[in-house]
Amino acid sequence: MRSEEEVNRAVEQYADTVRRICLVHLKNYADTEDIFQTVFVKYLLHNAPFASSEHERAWIIRVTINACRDLLRSVFRRRTVSLEEVAELPAPAQEHREVLRAVQGLPTAYRDVVYLHYYEGYTAPEIAGILGKNVNTIYTRLTRARGLLREALGGEVDG
Amino acid sequence: MDERFRAAFDSVHAEPELKAAARAAVARRARRRQSPARPLRLALATAACAAVVVLGGGWLYLTPTAHISIDVNPSLELGVNRFDRVASVEGWNDDGTALAQTVDVKNLTYTDAVETILQSEPITALVAQDAVVEIGVIGDDDTRCARILAGVESCTESHRNTHCYQAATGEVEAAHDCGLSYGKYRAYLELAALDPTVTPEEVQGMTMREIRDRIAALSGGTATAESAAGAPAETPAPTPSVPYYGYGYGCEDGEENGYGHHGAGHHGDD
């Protein structure tokens, strides 16, 4: 088990990353709070050392994505979500809100690849490693997601 | 476009409350993991569960729910548990104690145990001398006792001069108070009704054949003569003055005298 100090350092370092992944997948604050607790408690209990900070970051991303998927699959979560909660977005500016809504509007399978590629800067093989998918699948999803985003936002979406 | 994505996601930050809630959850979990009482409590709970299982299982296995009383001269009782296995063996006189020590019938099914005892050297020797064997099934569950009785009867079918009966537990306690097994106590009551001077101590050292012969002699029967001639004896009908106990002594339909009787001579007489 890791020390609390170590976990607190990880909370400071990765809280924003976890928050962004939650934003991509989840639509209310309570679920985000659950995911935060799940991810960092798992980090507390994860004994294996990380080879590098990149390795640690990839581990946090993978655990967060899996936790979001588990939560979405959970029967307990199948409850009514208010319109206010759906509209809840922490991004202040209207243009940012538009981009985030476009990502949230993508099919679930495409959201992770878009976030990991366009924001975290991972390559398709790296994303395949994190998500445990075939590289070609990642390329396909990126291409289709790009098309959908172009439709939603207009203009060019760079590869 | 990349810049638009970057700027949009850059504007998203974790709220301080989220971080605080995560830290609190981590601290709670860390305390739970580090608490020295936790493994102790877990160990105690596990030990308690194991004790309940072991003691409960042991109690279920070791507590007799019915008894089989075997009387020749050796008198012994087998305690039968709810799994139809022999949980205890107790001798009720010196011969019975000696027999209990020589035959290893504990944990056997009651049918195997009865067969083992009937085939043991002391019993076969006594039966060869025309001894009477009385086997009683004693318990409070009539249905179960009837089933055990049927099992015992199937074991005794090929044995001469063997009588089977069924009785309730309450009756057995009086027998034990006199220091007698139930089979012998029942015979003692019959004999005492005919000869009030007889004592339980006196009966304790007598064989069942001797008691039956004496009952027959006192009631004007002929068992002694038949026995002396080596022929299987007919068990005399109990005298009306003897207190008979609710379940009857019979174990075969049509027994007028109320006794189940597996004797070669008896079947021949029918």
Side-chain angles (χ1 to χ4, degrees), chain A residues 7-17 40 53 56-57:
Chain A
V7 180
N8 288 338
R9 190 265 311 158
V11 170
E12 282 306 316
Q13 192 169 342
Y14 300 114
D16 288 348
T17 304
F40 290 107
S53 60
E56 186 179 66
R57 183 177 194 79

Side-chain angles (χ1 to χ4, degrees), chain B residues 49-255:
Chain B
C49 287
V52 166
V53 169
V54 169
L55 293 176
W59 179 80
L60 283 175
Y61 192 87
L62 294 174
T63 305
T65 53
H67 287 84
I68 296 176
S69 176
I70 301 176
D71 295 281
V72 190
N73 177 32
S75 291
L76 75 165
E77 280 184 8
L78 310 178
V80 180
N81 66 18
R82 65 201 72 225
F83 307 109
D84 287 347
R85 291 192 174 264
V86 175
S88 64
V89 184
E90 193 173 2
W92 279 95
N93 56 14
D94 292 344
D95 290 345
T97 306
L99 181 63
Q101 286 167 351
T102 53
V103 291
D104 184 16
V105 294
K106 254 192 160 181
N107 302 316
L108 294 182
T109 60
Y110 66 86
T111 49
D112 286 348
V114 168
E115 277 179 0
T116 303
I117 289 168
L118 292 179
Q119 285 165 10
S120 67
E121 194 275 327
I123 300 293
T124 50
L126 288 164
V127 169
Q129 293 164 29
D130 208 25
V132 172
V133 180
E134 295 205 5
I135 303 180
V137 176
I138 299 134
D140 290 331
D141 183 341
D142 292 355
T143 312
R144 182 156 187 267
C145 286
R147 185 172 55 77
I148 294 175
L149 184 62
V152 169
E153 283 177 315
S154 68
C155 300
T156 59
E157 270 169 358
S158 60
H159 292 269
R160 303 171 64 221
N161 295 342
T162 306
H163 307 278
C164 303
Y165 60 91
Q166 184 177 329
T169 304
E171 300 160 20
V172 178
E173 285 165 5
H176 291 176
D177 288 343
C178 293
L180 297 172
S181 65
Y182 183 69
K184 197 160 268 188
Y185 176 71
R186 200 181 57 156
Y188 158 72
L189 290 177
E190 284 183 58
L191 183 57
L194 298 166
D195 177 7
T197 61
V198 74
T199 62
E201 291 75 23
E202 195 182 340
V203 166
Q204 200 172 39
M206 294 169 72
T207 65
M208 292 306 289
R209 166 57 73 196
E210 286 168 345
I211 301 170
R212 289 289 166 212
D213 285 350
R214 199 158 155 195
I215 290 169
L218 288 169
S219 58
T222 57
T224 307
E226 285 175 7
S227 174
E234 190 71 53
T235 305
T239 54
S241 56
V242 173
Y244 268 78
Y245 296 96
Y247 290 87
Y249 289 20
C251 58
E252 286 183 358
D253 292 336
E255 288 284 351

